[in-house]
């Protein structure tokens, strides 16, 4: 964990990486609210405020884990017992889980995809805010995130959906600097004469 005050903000952003190896503490009280406030700073076409954060912590976790495993049983009936047990443990033992609810308005002129992207942008802001406050997290999903009974528990009756979960706590080990793709492969300048190509795609030709 880096001391936020000693690191330039962009360096801090560039050193973030996801981790699922999480121990207590997770953020509490005003710190938690401030971290989620970063989610509400995401761009949001039409000001529809589609983000809905459901926090699952403490004694609520084992009961919620049973809902997740039941949802898996319905959505992924062929999932091996080992996978179910892994998910049961993850959802019961991770210090905090934040469900990423998407309160969607299909009738609105703003396309649903843009509403969903606002939730995704919010989730990334939350991950960055967690990192800036010295916490760790990872965004996870799976077929069980489509399960209507599970979504009802989270206040997400149709047409609302779930973008996944943030598993939240403190990184057990210092975050490992992962090797990242070369930025130059994924950017280009359009100069007005030729359509752009990306180095990242040249390898696939
Ligand atoms: C919508 C979404 C769902 C994801 N679901 C999973 C998942 O179920 N399991 C998983 O291991 N990683 C999942 N990931 C990837 C991790 O959140 C993470 O991006 C990955 O471990 C790379 O780590 P990084 O953030 O350090 O690049 C998902 C990412 C996104 C954006």
């Amino acid at each position: 964990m880096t001391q936020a005050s000693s690191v330039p903000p962009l360096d801090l952003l560039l050193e973030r990486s996801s981790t699922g190896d999480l121990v207590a503490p997770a953020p509490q009280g005003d710190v938690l609210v401030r971290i989620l406030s970063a989610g509400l700073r995401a761009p949001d076409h039409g000001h529809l405020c589609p983000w809905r954060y459901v926090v699952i912590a403490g004694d609520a976790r084992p009961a919620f884990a049973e809902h997740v495993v039941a949802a898996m049983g319905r959505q992924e009936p062929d999932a091996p017992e080992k996978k179910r047990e892994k998910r049961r443990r993850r959802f019961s033992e991770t210090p905090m889980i934040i469900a990423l609810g998407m309160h969607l308005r299909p009738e609105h002129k703003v396309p649903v995809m843009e509403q969903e992207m606002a939730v995704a942008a919010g989730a990334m802001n939350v991950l960055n805010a967690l990192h800036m406050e010295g916490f760790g997290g990872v965004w996870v999903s799976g077929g069980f995130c489509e399960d209507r009974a599970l979504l009802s528990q989270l206040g997400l009756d149709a047409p609302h959906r779930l973008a996944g979960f943030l598993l939240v706590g403190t990184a057990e080990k210092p975050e490992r600097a992962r090797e990242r793709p070369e930025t130059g492969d994924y950017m280009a300048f359009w100069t007005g004469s030729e359509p752009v190509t990306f180095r990242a795609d040249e390898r696939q030709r």
Side-chain angles (χ1 to χ4, degrees), residues 54-130:
V54 184
V55 179
I56 302 140
D59 294 344
R61 293 170 301 164
F64 187 70
E66 292 310 319
H67 281 286
V68 167
V69 172
M72 268 185 90
R74 290 185 291 267
Q75 300 294 322
E76 305 162 58
D78 299 332
E81 182 54 32
K82 208 170 144 194
K83 189 174 170 191
R84 288 172 206 226
E85 196 43 47
K86 188 174 166 199
R87 212 158 262 165
R88 178 181 278 113
R89 249 188 300 118
R90 264 198 141 176
F91 279 83
S92 335
E93 294 173 11
T94 297
M96 176 177 283
I97 295 132
I98 301 177
L100 300 168
M102 300 192 285
H103 189 92
L104 301 174
R105 292 180 50 188
E107 81 295 349
H108 198 277
K109 66 175 187 214
V110 171
V112 165
M113 191 190 176
E114 293 190 13
Q115 299 176 36
E116 292 173 343
M117 287 195 287
V119 175
M124 193 62 240
N125 268 7
V126 171
L127 279 172
N128 282 328
L130 283 165

Side-chain angles (χ1 to χ4, degrees), residues 16-18 87 90 138-142 163 178 180:
R16 186 209 65 84
S17 66
S18 300
R87 212 158 262 165
R90 264 198 141 176
V138 61
W139 186 346
V140 297
S141 61
R178 281 209 313 118
R180 296 290 176 179

